[in-house]
Each structure stands twice: as C-alpha cells, then as structure tokens.
Amino acid sequence: MNKFICLGAHNGDMVRVLNKLNTKEVLGVENINWDEIHLFEPQPEHSTTLLALQKVDNRIHYHAEAAYIEDTSMDFYIRGSLGNIGSTLDNKKHSGDIKQIIKVNAVDFIKWLENNTDSNDFIFLDMDIECGEYYIMTELIKSPIRERIDFLSIEWHHGKSTTWLGREKIIEKEVNEYFGNRLLNHDLIIKNVINNIRR
C-alpha cells in the first residue's frame, strides 16, 4: 500500500499539496495513488477542518494526537495565532509567544509506525512539528523501523529550542547520512506544487 503520513498536519494543507505534487520531479516515482493518508494534529482549533477532510475522503485518517516517543498525556504549547501557529510539545521552544497551554494525548510514533505499516508499504513521511522532529528522529534513526520509510520530508526548526543546543546538528547529520537523497525539505515540496500550479 502507498501511505502518506503527515506529522503536524495543521489545517490539512498538505493533503492539497499531496494531490498536486509532481511525484516524478520530487520523488522520482510516477503516478502514485495514495491508499492511506494519516494526519496527526493535536491543535484543537484545526479539528473541524480535519474532520471535514476525513469525511469527504475515505483515504484520510485524522489522528488528534501529537506524535512523540511514548504514549502519554502532556502539555502542548500553543504559540502564535491561528494561521501562523508554531505550537509544540517542546517547553523550551522560544520562538513565538505562548497563547495557551493545553493537555493533549501523545502517541509513541515509532510504535504506531510498527503497528500500522508493513515492510511492503511505500511510505512517505512528512514532518513539521516545531522542534518535535528532534524527539522523533533521535529515536527513529536508531530503530529498524526506519527501513520502512521510503521518503522523509522535514522542516527542521534549528536554533528554536534550548532543549537541543549542541545536539541539533548531530541529529540532522545522522538523518541526512541515513536517508541521503530520500531526505527532502518540507518547504521545497510546497514550493514545487506552487511552481507547478503557476506553469
């Protein structure tokens, strides 16, 4: 099966991006039909939009939890305003003013990946989780489950949290060395779609 997994789905824009993505240019694979689209987003202000997307597209599975490294309940720091949100699980992220702190359910994403994917699946994992990528990738890069991921796109939030001072570059280097040209830039994928629409 072809599975797109989005951590930090926000308002679901990545679904629209995915539907217009030139997979030949970006992934080197033509005409991918996505069987499952998994959207992880704990920000409650996006739930109505994401539930509506799920209702009209049976490929979409909305998960109202945060992707993390264990199954737990934890504080979620809502930063910025709707439309420009940099909300995070990382309490030492320092960019953007904290507007609200709420409790959310977090899931052990590596365990979820193991239980909900198969070694024969084609998996494209996208991640824009405001410094949470360092939690996930620190563990994922050590796990044999990493072998299931065909393509990975990340927006790194380098220098935006004191949690990762001195470790960011090490984590990014390990991820880059393992995934090589299968590691993509989240923002460049969006730009590819915008450029294709304008052509």
Side-chain angles (χ1 to χ4, degrees), residues 128-181:
D128 182 7
I129 50 176
E130 303 297 327
C131 300
E133 66 273 14
Y134 295 105
Y135 291 112
I136 300 289
M137 294 314 302
T138 296
E139 299 303 319
L140 184 59
I141 201 64
K142 297 184 291 189
S143 169
I145 295 301
R146 68 185 186 172
E147 296 174 8
R148 295 189 185 178
I149 300 170
D150 294 277
F151 287 92
L152 169 67
S153 67
I154 299 180
E155 180 173 346
W156 295 110
H157 295 84
H158 194 91
K160 291 189 176 182
S161 169
T162 56
T163 301
W164 305 103
L165 286 178
R167 290 187 286 162
E168 291 170 319
K169 289 183 179 179
I170 295 169
I171 297 166
E172 292 172 23
K173 183 174 182 286
E174 288 177 347
V175 173
N176 188 58
E177 286 177 352
Y178 178 75
F179 285 96
N181 61 7

Side-chain angles (χ1 to χ4, degrees), residues 90-195:
D90 187 342
N91 65 353
K92 293 183 181 177
K93 180 175 182 275
H94 49 73
S95 58
D97 296 331
I98 295 176
K99 302 297 183 185
Q100 187 181 7
I101 302 172
I102 61 173
K103 283 286 185 185
V104 299
N105 290 324
V107 297
D108 182 333
F109 178 69
I110 296 167
K111 184 169 69 177
W112 182 92
L113 200 61
E114 182 176 9
N115 294 336
N116 292 276
T117 65
D118 185 86
S119 58
N120 294 321
D121 289 336
F122 179 89
I123 297 174
F124 179 12
L125 173 61
D126 177 71
M127 203 178 298
D128 182 7
I129 50 176
E130 303 297 327
C131 300
E133 66 273 14
Y134 295 105
Y135 291 112
I136 300 289
M137 294 314 302
T138 296
E139 299 303 319
L140 184 59
I141 201 64
K142 297 184 291 189
S143 169
I145 295 301
R146 68 185 186 172
E147 296 174 8
R148 295 189 185 178
I149 300 170
D150 294 277
F151 287 92
L152 169 67
S153 67
I154 299 180
E155 180 173 346
W156 295 110
H157 295 84
H158 194 91
K160 291 189 176 182
S161 169
T162 56
T163 301
W164 305 103
L165 286 178
R167 290 187 286 162
E168 291 170 319
K169 289 183 179 179
I170 295 169
I171 297 166
E172 292 172 23
K173 183 174 182 286
E174 288 177 347
V175 173
N176 188 58
E177 286 177 352
Y178 178 75
F179 285 96
N181 61 7
R182 297 182 296 122
L183 176 63
L184 309 171
N185 182 295
H186 170 85
D187 287 340
L188 292 181
I189 289 172
I190 295 172
K191 287 178 183 177
N192 170 269
V193 170
I194 293 170
N195 290 338

Side-chain angles (χ1 to χ4, degrees), residues 9 21 57 77 82 87 106 131-132 138 142 168 177 190 196-198:
L21 184 67
D57 189 337
Y77 300 84
L82 194 60
S87 303
C131 300
T138 296
K142 297 184 291 189
E168 291 170 319
E177 286 177 352
I190 295 172
N196 284 328
I197 291 171
R198 288 174 177 168

